[in-house]
Amino acid sequence: SAAGTSASEASSAEASSAATEELSGTLSMNGSTSMEKVIKAVNGAFMEKNKGVTVNLNLTGSGTGIQEASEGKCDIGNSSRKLKDEEAEKLDATVVGLDGIALVVNPANKLEDITLEDLAKVYSGEITNWKELGGDDKSIVVIGREDGSGTRDGFESIVMGDKEPKYAQELESTGSVINAVATTDGAIGYASLANVDETVKALKIGGVEATEENVKSGAYEVQRPFICATLKGSDNKLVKAYLDFILSEEGQALVLAQGAVPVK
């Protein structure tokens, strides 16, 4: 029995050294710029925990992330919108957080609140001056994201119904939308709640403030999931370890610290 114990001890020692050895290599990700702050924080902590692992992150938008993940060009595609049916045939979607899409205006704008209906009219060009909404007599400059952006997809699917959006500017990242709204009088734009700063003002939607609590409760309607998309049936140990980590207590605390809403 003594031999038995030492054999089992040896095998458990082997198993634990194998476990630490297993987690080495490179994990590649591409996708959503809205998820940048969250993912960078999680990646840093994950690499700190697993010294043998390098996580490479590209930020080219949700559409590209999903496409590359489904073609096996990256291990994880980060998406700030739900997967479409045809994408979900190839990919598993792990929801790692929730995000409100904030409607931001220039801080000089005196409007505080807008209804979903009026928002759709602003973005379709039916309402073109802030005075029509009780604001100042100023032309509305409609700013949004480029085609293929998860934020744009989320915003349009929630807000626009069958109305066609008319953009004055279509910008390629969350940061550039916030910057444009901050520096353009009369501008309105949409951006991930996690990225909103004091250079812009977030409007209430139908009286409901864009806050983490209101996103989690569902009271704030303009919201979408943050997703890590991975190939169905993949047995990539690094991917599994990463998803376990981001959904762990520590990982979800990082999601929250970066302004998104945890799912656990």
Side-chain angles (χ1 to χ4, degrees), residues 56-117:
N56 290 333
L57 174 64
N58 281 318
L59 297 157
T60 58
S62 299
T64 312
I66 290 166
Q67 189 180 349
E68 292 210 343
S70 64
E71 291 170 2
K73 289 180 181 168
C74 68
D75 301 313
I76 296 177
N78 296 323
S79 172
S80 53
R81 64 164 172 78
K82 290 179 180 150
L83 295 187
K84 296 172 180 162
D85 292 345
E86 64 272 18
E87 294 165 346
E89 287 169 17
K90 278 193 162 182
L91 296 169
D92 285 324
T94 304
V95 179
V96 298
L98 300 172
D99 182 47
I101 299 176
L103 272 298
V104 292
V105 293
N106 191 282
N109 196 319
K110 65 182 194 199
L111 200 74
E112 297 293 332
D113 194 348
I114 190 168
T115 64
L116 271 185
E117 197 183 1

Side-chain angles (χ1 to χ4, degrees), residues 20-232:
T20 45
E21 274 164 25
E22 261 168 20
L23 282 190
S24 64
T26 304
L27 192 58
S28 60
M29 298 184 181
N30 199 346
S32 167
T33 63
S34 301
M35 289 172 68
E36 177 177 5
K37 285 167 68 174
V38 166
I39 293 296
K40 280 185 171 171
V42 173
N43 290 2
F46 185 70
M47 287 189 278
E48 189 58 39
K49 262 191 152 44
N50 303 285
K51 302 286 193 197
V53 176
T54 306
V55 185
N56 290 333
L57 174 64
N58 281 318
L59 297 157
T60 58
S62 299
T64 312
I66 290 166
Q67 189 180 349
E68 292 210 343
S70 64
E71 291 170 2
K73 289 180 181 168
C74 68
D75 301 313
I76 296 177
N78 296 323
S79 172
S80 53
R81 64 164 172 78
K82 290 179 180 150
L83 295 187
K84 296 172 180 162
D85 292 345
E86 64 272 18
E87 294 165 346
E89 287 169 17
K90 278 193 162 182
L91 296 169
D92 285 324
T94 304
V95 179
V96 298
L98 300 172
D99 182 47
I101 299 176
L103 272 298
V104 292
V105 293
N106 191 282
N109 196 319
K110 65 182 194 199
L111 200 74
E112 297 293 332
D113 194 348
I114 190 168
T115 64
L116 271 185
E117 197 183 1
D118 282 343
L119 194 52
K121 288 179 179 170
V122 166
Y123 268 84
S124 65
E126 289 168 66
I127 293 176
T128 58
N129 193 301
W130 287 111
K131 70 177 180 203
E132 296 174 66
L133 297 167
D136 292 328
D137 183 1
K138 261 182 202 155
S139 291
I140 300 175
V141 182
V142 176
I143 294 172
R145 287 288 304 281
E146 82 287 2
D147 212 17
S149 149
T151 314
R152 173 168 168 165
D153 186 273
F155 170 80
E156 290 180 3
S157 61
I158 297 161
V159 174
M160 296 307 291
D162 53 8
K163 292 184 191 294
E164 274 300 308
K166 290 196 173 87
Y167 292 104
Q169 297 178 35
E170 297 179 42
L171 303 174
E172 302 252 316
S173 73
T174 304
S176 49
V177 169
I178 288 175
N179 186 48
V181 172
T183 54
T184 310
D185 206 18
I188 185 169
Y190 48 74
S192 162
L193 180 57
N195 295 74
V196 172
D197 58 27
E198 65 292 339
T199 65
V200 291
K201 179 170 87 171
L203 295 176
K204 291 178 185 161
I205 306 290
V208 181
E209 217 174 317
T211 63
E212 286 161 18
E213 298 71 31
N214 290 339
V215 169
K216 196 163 194 176
S217 73
Y220 184 79
E221 291 179 80
V222 192
Q223 59 165 283
R224 46 42 189 294
F226 277 172
I227 285 169
C228 289
T230 52
L231 270 181
K232 278 193 191 302

